[in-house]
């Protein structure tokens, strides 16, 4: 740790904003930001190879678009169900000393919390939002991945529900943070641009852009299916 973070911690405090927020028991990470980011990226990337093998063997005619959607939902499932569920267990079982945790999940969340200290202060919205995400969108993301490969008839209804839930949670996540900053002057992110733009903005923007595309796809496919229904019924009546 170096620069302003080291100076803050050396003064006996912590590096999180807003200045003066109470985070008792804080212990500085022993792994650098680069190492933590590489570990997280490697963990996410590692799931793509088995996903590709399973999907391509289950459906040899799977399209590139369907494969990308499968990758997305498997990634969402792992992040929501395992990574965010681990965070919830931290809140549930380690809420009094979360800032002192030195295992991998603890250090990952302390690194990300430099862009949003609400994860260190047990903010009610963050706890509730992440709980819903882990309990509902995690398992349903895995189902969506299966439904894409298996051409399950529930693929688009569930894809629409999951994507809307992800979009809604992410919009509220941004909106509440920005509201507090602009109305009450409470900034949860450190002033360095990297933490705000790379962690807070970029890392969460995927759950706005991609769900919007998937919602549009599901709405288009659902509308087309309903449009085919009357035509099919009309053809049957004429043949009779």
């Amino acid at each position: 740790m170096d620069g302003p973070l080291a100076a803050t911690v050396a003064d006996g405090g912590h590096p999180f904003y807003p200045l003066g927020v109470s985070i008792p028991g804080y212990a500085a990470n022993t792994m650098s930001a680069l190492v933590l980011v590489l570990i997280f990226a490697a963990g996410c990337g590692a799931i793509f190879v088995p996903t590709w093998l399973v999907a391509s063997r289950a459906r040899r005619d799977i399209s590139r678009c369907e494969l990308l959607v499968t990758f997305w939902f498997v990634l969402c499932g792992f992040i929501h169900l395992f990574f965010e569920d681990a965070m919830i267990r931290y809140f549930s079982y380690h809420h009094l000393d979360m800032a002192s945790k030195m295992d991998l999940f603890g250090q990952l969340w302390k690194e990300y919390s430099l862009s949003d200290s609400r994860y260190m202060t047990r903010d009610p919205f963050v706890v509730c939002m992440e709980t819903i995400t882990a309990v509902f969108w995690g398992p349903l993301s895995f189902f969506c991945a299966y439904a894409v490969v298996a051409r399950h008839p529930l693929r688009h209804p569930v894809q629409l529900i999951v994507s809307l839930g992800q979009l809604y949670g992410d919009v509220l996540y941004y909106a509440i943070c920005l509201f507090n900053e602009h109305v009450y002057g409470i900034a949860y992110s450190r002033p360095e641009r990297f933490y705000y733009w790379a962690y807070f903005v970029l890392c969460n923007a995927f759950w706005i852009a991609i769900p919007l595309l998937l919602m549009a796809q599901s709405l288009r496919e659902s509308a087309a299916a309903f449009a085919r229904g009357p035509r099919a019924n009309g053809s049957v009546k004429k043949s009779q």
Side-chain angles (χ1 to χ4, degrees):
M1 182 181 293
D2 52 17
L5 300 187
T8 305
V9 176
D11 291 337
H14 58 72
F16 304 106
Y17 268 55
L19 295 174
V21 65
S22 177
I23 303 180
Y26 170 74
N29 282 348
T30 57
M31 288 185 278
S32 68
L34 178 61
V35 170
L36 288 169
V37 170
L38 288 176
I39 290 174
F40 180 73
C44 292
I47 68 175
F48 291 143
V49 173
T51 299
W52 174 75
L53 290 173
V54 171
S56 59
R57 289 180 181 178
R59 260 191 62 198
R60 297 190 179 278
D61 63 337
I62 190 169
S63 68
R64 182 177 299 178
C65 179
E66 289 175 315
L67 193 58
L68 289 175
V69 174
T70 303
F71 283 163
W72 167 251
F73 279 119
V74 170
L75 178 63
C76 287
F78 272 98
I79 291 177
H80 294 335
L81 193 59
F82 297 112
F83 188 58
E84 291 177 354
D85 182 59
M87 184 207 68
I88 292 167
R89 290 198 300 272
Y90 265 76
F91 280 125
S92 300
Y93 300 115
H94 305 299
H95 62 281
L96 295 178
D97 60 347
M98 184 174 176
S100 66
K101 293 300 175 183
M102 300 302 292
D103 56 24
L104 178 59
F105 280 118
Q107 295 202 42
L108 277 169
W109 278 112
K110 278 189 284 185
E111 176 63 25
Y112 177 76
S113 295
L114 294 170
S115 72
D116 187 351
S117 65
R118 292 179 295 175
Y119 287 93
M120 287 290 108
T121 59
R122 307 186 310 279
D123 177 83
F125 166 74
V126 170
V127 175
C128 294
M129 182 268 293
E130 294 290 2
T131 301
I132 292 172
T133 299
V135 172
F136 292 100
W137 310 145
L140 287 176
S141 291
F142 282 122
F143 174 80
C144 283
Y146 159 76
V148 172
V149 177
R151 289 177 172 153
H152 197 283
L154 287 176
R155 179 254 174 110
H156 284 291
V158 178
Q159 177 175 297
L160 182 60
I161 292 171
V162 173
S163 298
L164 180 59
Q166 292 174 329
L167 176 66
Y168 182 68
D170 212 16
V171 168
L172 282 180
Y173 174 77
Y174 277 132
I176 291 175
C177 187
L178 294 175
F179 181 89
N180 282 332
E181 182 174 354
H182 291 290
V183 176
Y184 297 116
I186 302 173
Y188 299 106
S189 179
R190 286 192 58 83
E192 294 85 1
R193 291 182 178 180
F194 172 78
Y195 297 114
Y196 183 80
W197 291 106
Y199 286 179
F200 181 73
V201 175
L202 180 61
C203 289
N204 292 287
F206 292 107
W207 277 270
I208 288 182
I210 297 178
L212 280 172
L213 293 173
L214 293 176
M215 287 170 61
Q217 181 190 51
S218 293
L219 287 171
R220 185 172 62 252
E221 292 295 330
S222 298
F226 277 105
R228 287 192 298 268
R231 291 198 296 268
N233 291 334
S235 300
V236 171
K237 289 180 180 179
K238 288 180 180 179
S239 64
Q240 291 176 347

